[in-house]
Amino acid sequence: MTVKHSLQAATVLLPVLITGLTIGLMTTPASAGTLDQVIQRGALKCGVNTELAGFAIANSLGEYSGFDVDICRAVASAVFNDSEAVEMIPVTSSDRFEALQSGVLDILSRNTTWTLERNSLYGEFVGVNFYDGQGFMVPKRTGIRSALELDNQPICVDNNTTSEVNAADFFTVSDMRYRPVFFDDGIDAVRAYEAGRCKALTTDRSGLAAQRTGFAQPDAHLVLPEVISKEPLGPMVAANDSEWGNVVRWSLNCMINAEELGINSNNVNNPNIGSTPAIRRLIGTEGNTGENLGLSANWCSRIIQQVGNYGEIYEKHIGPNTPIGLERGINQLWTNGGLIYAPPIR
Ligand SMILES: N[C@@H](CCC(=O)N[C@@H](CS)C(=O)NCC(=O)O)C(=O)O
C-alpha cells in the first residue's frame, strides 16, 4: 500500500475505530460510585473525633452527637431520609486521611483544617463548616496573659495536626524559643496539659473551648487572646468522585441556605412557607436539584426537618448556651457580617 492509500484507509477507518471505541466505553459498566455504594450498604461511614465535646462525642450508650456529627447525619437524611443511617467510625489525627483514602470512610468530619497539602494529597474538602484559628490555653495561676510570654515554655501539642506547624511558625516570627512536647493523639496532649506537664496547650480555639469543658476545673484555665492561624474546618471526601462530593457539599450548603432563608426544623413542614422561589427550590417543590444530585426532590427539606439548619446545629452543640459557649463570631452568616456563605440552590 502506498502512503496515499494508507492515508485514505486511515481516513475511512478512523471514524469507525473512534465510534467503536466510544460504544465500547459507553457499554463498559462503570465501577459503582460512592453514592451507589452507600445506598447499597444502607448507611454511610463517617469518620469522627471521639472526645471533642460539642463537635463529636459519644454518650455512655455509644451514641454520637455534635456539630461535626450532624454533617454526616444531614447527608444520611438527604440520601436515606434517616439521619440515623450513619456508622460513626472513630479516627485520630494521625489515621484520619488514610482511613478516607482507603475507603474505610465515605466522609471525614473531624475538625480538619483545609490546606493545600491535604487537598492535593488526601482528598476533597467540600466546604467549611467552622472558621477557626489556633490559640493557646494556660492555667490561670501561671499569670501568663499573652502568647508572647511563652518563650522557651513547654507547649503540649498533637504532632499530626496543623497546630504543630503553625506553632513553630509563630515562635519563629515572634523570635521566641519553641519547646514543643509532642503527642501522637490529641487527647494525650490534653491530658498531659491538665496534669501539668506543659505551660500551655495549643490547638484550634474551638478545640481549646471544647477540651476545657472536660477538665476538673474549667474556670482555672484561660484561652489567650492571640489567634495565630487560619483554620477553616470542613468535611472531606475521597478524591475523584464528584457525584459523592456534590451530595456532601450540597448537604452542608442546604443547611446554610436554609438559615439564610429563615427555614428551620420547626417551619420546614409548614405548608405556607413556600412563599418565594428560593424557598420553593430549597424545599424541592420547584426545580430539579434533587435529580441533579441523584437524590429525591425533597432532599434538603429532609435535612432541615431531621437535623436542622446551620444556625440550629450551631446553637444546639457549640453556641453560647452550651458548655462550649462559642459565640457565632466569624461563623455568622454573611448577611450578618460573617463568613458563612453558601452558593445558591438552583
Ligand atoms: N484542625 C487541626 C487540628 C485537629 C486535631 O486533631 N486537633 C486535636 C488537638 S487536641 C484534637 O482534636 N484532638 C482530640 C482528639 O484527638 O481526641 C488539623 O486539622 O490538624
Side-chain angles (χ1 to χ4, degrees):
M1 209 165 26
T2 64
V3 173
K4 191 177 160 204
H5 279 130
S6 57
L7 275 177
Q8 273 173 351
T11 322
V12 173
L13 279 176
L14 209 57
V16 178
L17 276 173
I18 290 172
T19 313
L21 201 67
T22 314
I23 290 170
L25 281 177
M26 276 165 34
T27 50
T28 308
S31 66
T34 309
L35 178 59
D36 290 336
Q37 289 173 26
V38 165
I39 290 170
Q40 267 175 23
R41 201 189 303 126
L44 63 90
K45 299 184 293 186
C46 176
V48 290
N49 208 319
T50 54
E51 295 181 70
L52 198 62
F55 287 86
I57 194 157
N59 65 15
S60 56
L61 301 173
E63 297 157 344
Y64 278 87
S65 65
F67 187 70
D68 283 346
V69 167
D70 272 355
I71 300 297
C72 290
R73 295 211 185 283
V75 178
S77 306
V79 175
F80 296 112
N81 193 18
D82 178 4
S83 63
E84 298 289 316
V86 187
E87 185 190 345
M88 301 296 171
I89 301 183
V91 285
T92 65
S93 55
S94 60
D95 66 17
R96 55 185 156 172
F97 301 120
E98 200 187 314
L100 183 67
Q101 285 178 303
S102 63
V104 170
L105 311 177
D106 303 310
I107 303 176
L108 173 67
S109 188
R110 184 200 178 282
N111 55 310
T112 294
T113 306
W114 187 348
T115 68
L116 186 153
E117 181 181 71
R118 291 168 173 181
N119 211 158
S120 310
L121 299 181
Y122 308 132
E124 298 295 338
F125 286 83
V126 302
V128 175
N129 67 332
F130 192 92
Y131 288 93
D132 209 346
Q134 185 174 336
F136 294 88
M137 182 158 62
V138 294
K140 278 184 186 159
R141 61 173 161 70
T142 58
I144 294 172
R145 294 296 178 264
S146 161
L148 296 170
E149 296 165 40
L150 293 172
D151 177 43
N152 206 25
Q153 299 291 349
I155 313 285
C156 282
V157 60
D158 177 342
N159 60 352
N160 297 299
T161 59
T162 49
S163 318
E164 200 283 299
V165 283
N166 293 330
D169 284 359
F170 172 72
F171 278 82
T172 302
V173 299
S174 307
D175 206 12
M176 297 192 297
R177 285 160 294 177
Y178 180 34
R179 223 170 106 196
V181 181
F182 289 129
F183 295 88
D184 254 343
D185 196 337
I187 202 65
D188 294 334
V190 173
R191 290 192 181 124
Y193 163 79
E194 200 192 3
R197 279 193 58 194
C198 300
K199 262 296 162 49
L201 172 69
T202 189
T203 184
D204 306 336
R205 285 163 64 92
S206 66
L208 295 175
Q211 299 296 0
R212 186 165 59 173
T213 63
F215 288 175
Q217 290 179 288
D219 290 341
H221 300 267
L222 186 70
V223 177
L224 298 176
E226 288 83 2
V227 180
I228 69 162
S229 70
K230 291 187 288 188
E231 308 293 324
L233 309 178
M236 283 185 88
V237 295
N240 302 324
D241 188 344
S242 58
E243 179 189 52
W244 179 242
N246 276 341
V247 168
V248 183
R249 172 176 300 113
W250 288 95
S251 294
L252 172 60
N253 288 338
C254 156
M255 291 195 279
I256 295 172
N257 278 307
E259 183 181 14
E260 188 182 324
L261 294 169
I263 305 301
N264 57 44
S265 55
N266 294 318
N267 65 16
V268 67
N269 285 335
N270 180 334
N272 299 323
I273 59 160
S275 53
T276 68
I279 291 176
R280 287 196 293 272
R281 282 194 298 273
L282 185 95
I283 63 175
T285 52
E286 190 173 306
N288 52 359
T289 61
E291 197 185 319
N292 291 339
L293 289 172
L295 303 173
S296 49
N298 62 349
W299 63 279
C300 178
S301 56
R302 291 200 301 254
I303 293 177
I304 304 310
Q305 188 190 319
Q306 297 183 18
V307 183
N309 71 28
Y310 181 88
E312 286 182 284
I313 67 167
Y314 193 104
E315 296 307 324
K316 177 177 171 190
H317 297 298
I318 57 178
N321 297 324
T322 68
I324 319 300
L326 295 169
E327 297 290 340
R328 280 292 287 268
I330 57 172
N331 292 294
Q332 284 284 2
L333 292 180
W334 67 290
T335 43
N336 295 333
L339 298 175
I340 297 294
Y341 178 109
I345 292 184
R346 70 178 314 139

